[in-house]
């Protein structure tokens, strides 16, 4: 510990900041406020050479404290934010944006909208150009809130039409919001970035008004334009859209292909595998097997009965047809060292049996084929199943026994 | 009044003063070039500022601002500090006589006043000042004693002063800007030889005056009072009168943003004493507070150590002669003697005594403590034996608490004051806006601070740690006995500990590297570090300075042995 009294202004304020940090981390809001009160006089000093100056510190710390402190009200919070907006013109839009986020978190949609509109009309010499990015975000969020208003109007309209009367005023308002929202949302998604929520809303609007071409184009851009960061959701949205549009399996499959490459553990892999299994093309069926094996590599899928049933179905089908056993062999090759402990331990056998009989059934089938009828998992489950006199387990036992040589061929 | 030349025009000797401060002949109204610069330096008695008359190009300040010089500002500061010290109990003589005479002497020596030549040499010098007061009637500068005696005869300083004419003001066309007349000059000139005045130096002045009067305030205490706010230092300029506008370069001179450092104030004081040609200071005898015997007693109490240790500190002091009057008394200008830091010295003596009795090698002291503990358990009659371990635990706990408080206070310290400061009129409005925002934020978050009101500044106290014998928890060690640590040999009490380790075998050259030794925590036992740390906290200085004094004392104490050892070594090498 240092024995010297903090000798000067700078050191004193540094120490003050570290006390604030400690208090914030321990959620001691009162204490943080106490030290912040002492820190604010830093505003009167020139810190232009520092990376983060006192005004930014005070903004961020003050926001945290006011947001969490029990005695602080939204009114105080808003008042503080207004002060912060005047404090640094270079940060003006950023502060506005964060203020809006807080208002939204607090459910104050209208206030948020007002603030966004106000910020949109802000002009300040060359700063306007410098803060162009923030401005785009502000416009985008206002577009989002316009969408929200459109959405509400749409629901009102639907209610009314159900009740049997039409409401022209509401309809007009709705269209108005659509126009406003569309303009801004379209703008933001032109810029490379991750704009999931904006894209979804925009596509929703386009679909409602029947502009499917535009929607398709937007989604394609979002998913396939290399300037945009790789984003699994983009492919999910595209897939969902294509599905809604009733597109062919071929285009659906190609939409999901990339998703499989990026996120092999995605929940849509089940749909993907289902489609691929049914395909007439050999390559696709082969891919399907690869997809389902890859998904089950992930711990999150261990107890997913649906996934196991997909794998079981495909494996069963291959075994019965006696064609393409090499596919199974290929997939099993890289997994035979660790899947047994990962999926087919005796402990898991017991647990799966207790918790989810269907799951254990599907897994037992797969285990029986891949590891043979003498493997722990299969033996336990089939034994239990037969003891419980469940018909399908009896069938399972028979099936695996019959096809045991397959296992020998796979493992060899 | 005192100008006796004959008028160039009419040969009369009938002089008066114009508003511009020039002598004019009353007979023929001839205005001369001779000026008599008069200023009322009655800041010391009353703080009314009078306008200073200038040369021909005096510029009228319309808004009631006056022209003021930097040293007038410092004079005000000193006045405030002296008043504060008086409120703390220092005798009024300090303020009325000693300090102001030191100051006057300084002004004269640094050619800012009371002298023949002007202090500022600039292109625009309009006239040469010929002061003709009684004080300067002889060409030699009067000695301090002379000034002291003068002050006794005159009541106030109204008549006596004269200022050198630093006539030029830097014109508005240059970028330097200050509210004072000579702010820019002050900062620009290389005034090393003339000992330019700074804020820390005001404390040097105070300390010098306190030392002259042998007041019971050590330098570390003085500095602590400054930090605690009992003596104006930070933001003292807010007490300047309204008419003295402070801006621009003045800020660099008067606005401090750091606490004064012991070493700096100490060294400056000695420089100052030499600069002022002061004579030998009044003697520090063994009845003075600053004498090591007295200070050791105080620090022993504060460190919660047994009173019996005082015998030992006195023995050490006596043995190495650091209680001698000649050693302790300040002789300005004497470069050969090492300057005495009374407080650090006393602390170091205690450390040495602890080393003598307890060795402090992280083993022996705990061993002794165990013996004492055994004895105390079995034998409850008679006073308790001093147990190092218990003492360590008690003191460490308090120390940690106090240190933590101090650290927090340091982090919560408010450096700014209400009086706004701006470099130029241009950013005045910006500064005021900022100030307003700061106040708003302070109010807003102050309310959210909960019931923790900002503690009022603590009452000034000489003791930072106090221990009461009335506490039944045995946390006061003053009355404990050293019996477990001592033995009798030939009728004399000596330490049971036969060993001693020197902090350093060879002392560095302080003039070259600033220290006698170089203290690094890892190289020394933890107990030693703890003890240094304790006094470091009490005196508010770095442990290394106490370590230096400890080395110095040890070398004096074991001088003979060291000398023999070195001699032996050199013999071997041959």
């Amino acid at each position: 510990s240092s024995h010297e009294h903090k000798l000067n202004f700078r050191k004193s304020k540094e120490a003050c900041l570290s006390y604030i940090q400690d208090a914030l981390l321990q959620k001691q809001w009162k204490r943080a406020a106490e030290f912040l009160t002492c820190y604010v006089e830093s505003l009167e000093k020139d810190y232009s050479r520092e990376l983060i100056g006192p005004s930014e510190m005070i903004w961020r710390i003050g926001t945290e404290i006011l947001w969490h402190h029990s005695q602080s009200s939204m009114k105080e919070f808003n008042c503080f934010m207004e002060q912060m907006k005047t404090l640094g013109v270079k940060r003006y839009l950023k502060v506005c944006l964060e203020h809006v986020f807080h208002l939204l978190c607090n459910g104050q949609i209208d206030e948020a909208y007002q603030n966004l509109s106000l910020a949109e009309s802000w002009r300040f010499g060359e700063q306007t150009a410098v803060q162009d990015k923030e401005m785009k975000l502000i416009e985008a969020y206002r577009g989002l809130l316009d969408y929200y208003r459109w959405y509400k109007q749409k629901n009102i309209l639907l209610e009314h039409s159900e009740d049997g009367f039409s409401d022209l005023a509401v309809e007009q308002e709705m269209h108005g919001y659509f126009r406003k929202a569309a303009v801004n949302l379209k703008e933001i998604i032109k810029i490379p970035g991750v704009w999931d929520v904006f894209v979804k809303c925009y596509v929703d609007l386009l679909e409602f008004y029947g502009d499917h071409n535009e929607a398709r184009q937007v989604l394609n851009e979002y998913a396939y334009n290399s300037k945009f960061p790789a984003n699994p959701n983009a492919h999910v949205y595209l897939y969902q859209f294509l599905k809604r549009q009733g597109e062919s399996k071929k285009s659906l499959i190609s939409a999901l292909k990339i998703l499989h490459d990026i996120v092999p553990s995605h929940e849509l892999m089940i749909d993907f595998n289902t489609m691929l299994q049914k395909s007439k093309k050999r390559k696709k069926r082969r891919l399907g097997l690869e997809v389902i094996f890859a998904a089950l590599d992930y711990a999150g899928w261990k107890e997913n009965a649906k996934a196991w049933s997909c794998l079981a179905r495909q494996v069963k089908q291959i075994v019965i047809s006696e064609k393409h056993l090499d596919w199974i062999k290929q997939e099993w090759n890289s997994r035979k060292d660790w899947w047994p402990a990962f999926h087919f331990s005796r402990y898991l056998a017991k647990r799966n049996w207790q918790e989810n009989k269907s799951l254990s059934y599907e897994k037992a089938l797969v285990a029986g084929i891949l590891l043979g009828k003498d493997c722990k998992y299969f033996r336990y489950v089939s034994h239990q199943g037969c003891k419980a006199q469940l018909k399908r387990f009896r069938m399972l036992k028979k099936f695996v026994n019959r096809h045991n040589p397959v296992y020998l061929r796979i493992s060899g | 009044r005192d100008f006796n030349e004959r008028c160039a025009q009419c040969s009369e000797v009938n002089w008066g003063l114009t508003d511009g401060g020039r002598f004019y002949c009353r007979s023929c109204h001839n205005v001369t070039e001779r000026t008599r610069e008069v200023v009322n330096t009655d800041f010391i008695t009353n703080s009314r500022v009078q306008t200073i008359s200038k040369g021909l190009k005096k510029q009228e300040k319309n808004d009631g601002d006056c022209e003021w010089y930097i040293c007038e500002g410092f004079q005000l500061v000193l006045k405030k500090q002296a008043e504060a010290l008086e409120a703390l109990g220092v005798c009024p003589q300090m303020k009325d006589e000693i300090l102001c005479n030191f100051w006057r002497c300084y002004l004269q020596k640094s050619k800012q006043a009371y002298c023949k030549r002007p202090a500022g040499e600039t292109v625009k010098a309009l006239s040469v000042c010929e002061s003709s007061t009684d004080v300067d009637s002889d060409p030699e500068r009067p000695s301090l004693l002379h000034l002291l005696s003068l002050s006794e005869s005159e009541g106030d300083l109204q008549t006596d002063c004269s200022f050198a004419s630093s006539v030029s003001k830097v014109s508005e066309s240059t970028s330097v800007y200050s509210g004072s007349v000579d702010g820019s000059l002050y900062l620009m000139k290389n005034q090393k030889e003339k000992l330019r005045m700074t804020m820390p130096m005001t404390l040097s002045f105070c300390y010098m005056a306190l030392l002259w009067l042998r007041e019971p305030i050590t330098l570390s205490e003085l500095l602590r009072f400054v930090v605690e706010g009992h003596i104006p230092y930070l933001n003292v300029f807010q007490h300047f009168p309204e008419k003295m506008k402070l801006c621009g370069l003045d800020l660099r001179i008067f606005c401090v943003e750091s606490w004064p450092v012991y070493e700096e104030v100490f060294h400056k004081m000695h420089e100052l004493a030499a600069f002022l040609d002061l004579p030998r200071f009044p003697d520090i005898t063994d009845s003075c507070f600053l004498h090591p015997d007295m200070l050791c007693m105080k620090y022993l109490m504060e460190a919660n150590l047994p009173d019996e240790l005082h015998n030992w500190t006195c023995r050490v002091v006596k043995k190495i002669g650091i209680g001698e009057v000649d050693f302790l008394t300040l002789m300005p200008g004497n470069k050969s003697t090492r300057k005495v830091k009374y407080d650090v010295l006393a602390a170091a003596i205690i450390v040495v005594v602890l080393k003598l009795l307890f060795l402090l090698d992280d083993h022996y002291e705990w061993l002794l403590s165990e013996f004492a503990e055994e004895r105390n358990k079995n034998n409850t009659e008679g006073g308790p034996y001093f147990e190092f371990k218990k003492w360590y635990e008690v003191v460490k706990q308090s120390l940690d608490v106090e240190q933590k408080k101090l650290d927090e206070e340091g982090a919560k310290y408010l450096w700014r004051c209400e009086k706004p400061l701006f470099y130029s009129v241009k950013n005045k409005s910006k500064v005021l806006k900022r100030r307003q925002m700061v106040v708003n934020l302070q109010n807003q978050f102050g309310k959210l601070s909960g019931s923790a009101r900002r503690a009022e500044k603590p009452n000034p106290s000489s003791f930072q740690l106090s221990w009461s014998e009335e506490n039944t928890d045995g946390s006061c060690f003053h009355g404990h006995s050293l019996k477990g640590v001592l033995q009798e040999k030939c009728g004399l009490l000596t330490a049971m500990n036969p060993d001693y380790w020197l902090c350093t075998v060879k002392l560095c050259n302080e003039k070259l590297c600033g220290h006698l030794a170089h203290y690094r925590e890892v190289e020394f036992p933890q107990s030693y570090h703890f003890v240094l740390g304790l006094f470091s906290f009490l005196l508010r200085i770095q442990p290394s300075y106490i370590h230096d004094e400890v080395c110095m004392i040890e070398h004096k104490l074991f001088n003979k042995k060291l000398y023999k050892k070195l001699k032996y070594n050199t013999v071997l090498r041959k």
Side-chain angles (χ1 to χ4, degrees), chain B residues 310-328:
Chain B
H310 189 243
N311 301 330
W312 288 86
T313 63
C314 293
R315 275 169 79 170
V316 168
V317 165
K318 191 149 185 196
K319 180 118 199 240
I320 58 179
I322 56 176
E324 300 302 307
V325 168
D326 290 332
F327 175 82
L328 292 171

Side-chain angles (χ1 to χ4, degrees), chain A residues 33 36-37 40-41 43 58-59 62 66 79-80 83-84 87, chain B residues 434-447:
Chain A
L36 186 62
T37 313
V40 294
E41 60 174 13
L43 283 177
I58 291 170
W59 165 46
L66 288 172
C79 173
F80 173 74
Q83 275 187 301
M84 290 300 105
L87 203 52
Chain B
R434 273 286 156 110
R435 181 73 209 160
Q436 188 57 48
M437 171 154 309
V438 167
V439 169
N440 288 343
L441 289 172
Q442 282 174 337
N443 284 336
Q444 184 170 28
F445 288 100
K447 282 198 219 111

Side-chain angles (χ1 to χ4, degrees), chain A residues 1-10 12-13 15-16 19 29-31 33-45 55 58 61-63 65-66 69 71-72 76-77 79-80 83-84 86-88, chain B residues 227 257-261 399 403-404 406-417 431 434-438 440-452 454 529 533-534 536-537 540-543:
Chain A
S1 66
S2 135
H3 289 273
E4 64 179 10
H5 194 84
K6 289 306 173 201
L7 279 180
N8 63 23
F9 185 96
R10 190 153 286 215
S12 172
K13 293 308 170 201
C16 195
Y19 279 103
W29 309 114
K30 285 207 177 90
R31 189 170 154 87
E34 193 185 335
F35 279 94
L36 186 62
T37 313
C38 304
Y39 180 75
V40 294
E41 60 174 13
S42 300
L43 283 177
E44 298 185 82
K45 280 286 294 171
S55 49
I58 291 170
I61 295 171
T63 306
I65 294 175
L66 288 172
H69 197 291
Q71 283 169 321
S72 157
E76 260 195 67
F77 186 84
C79 173
F80 173 74
Q83 275 187 301
M84 290 300 105
T86 66
L87 203 52
Chain B
V227 168
E257 287 199 342
S258 57
W259 291 122
V261 176
L399 192 60
Q403 183 67 59
K404 186 162 177 245
L406 199 66
D407 289 340
E408 271 198 33
E409 269 168 35
K412 290 205 270 190
Y413 200 81
L414 288 180
W415 295 79
R416 292 295 180 138
C417 66
V431 167
R434 273 286 156 110
R435 181 73 209 160
Q436 188 57 48
M437 171 154 309
V438 167
N440 288 343
L441 289 172
Q442 282 174 337
N443 284 336
Q444 184 170 28
F445 288 100
K447 282 198 219 111
L448 294 176
S449 301
S451 51
R454 270 191 75 71
H529 177 67
L534 171 61
S536 162
F537 170 80
R540 307 282 176 93
I541 57 173
Q542 294 282 32

Side-chain angles (χ1 to χ4, degrees), chain B residues 304-306 376 384-395 397-398 467-480:
Chain B
N304 202 9
L305 288 165
N376 281 338
Y385 280 16
F386 175 75
E387 291 174 50
F388 188 85
K389 178 163 177 256
K390 258 182 114 185
W391 172 82
Y392 173 83
E393 284 166 359
V394 169
V395 171
Q397 191 178 28
S398 290
W467 318 91
S468 171
E469 300 226 358
E470 277 140 26
N471 285 352
T472 47
D473 57 358
S475 63
C476 176
F477 294 83
H478 296 154
H480 286 213

Side-chain angles (χ1 to χ4, degrees), chain B residues 65-100:
Chain B
D65 293 345
C66 73
E67 297 176 345
W68 57 281
Y69 288 81
I70 293 290
C71 48
E72 292 177 74
F74 278 117
Q75 199 162 305
L76 256 180
V77 171
L78 282 173
K79 176 184 174 236
K80 286 274 160 208
Q81 290 173 339
E83 283 169 357
L85 282 166
E86 201 178 315
L88 285 173
V90 172
C91 68
Q93 213 188 355
M94 188 224 162
K95 177 176 88 118
D96 298 333
E97 290 177 27
I98 308 300
L99 191 58
C100 78

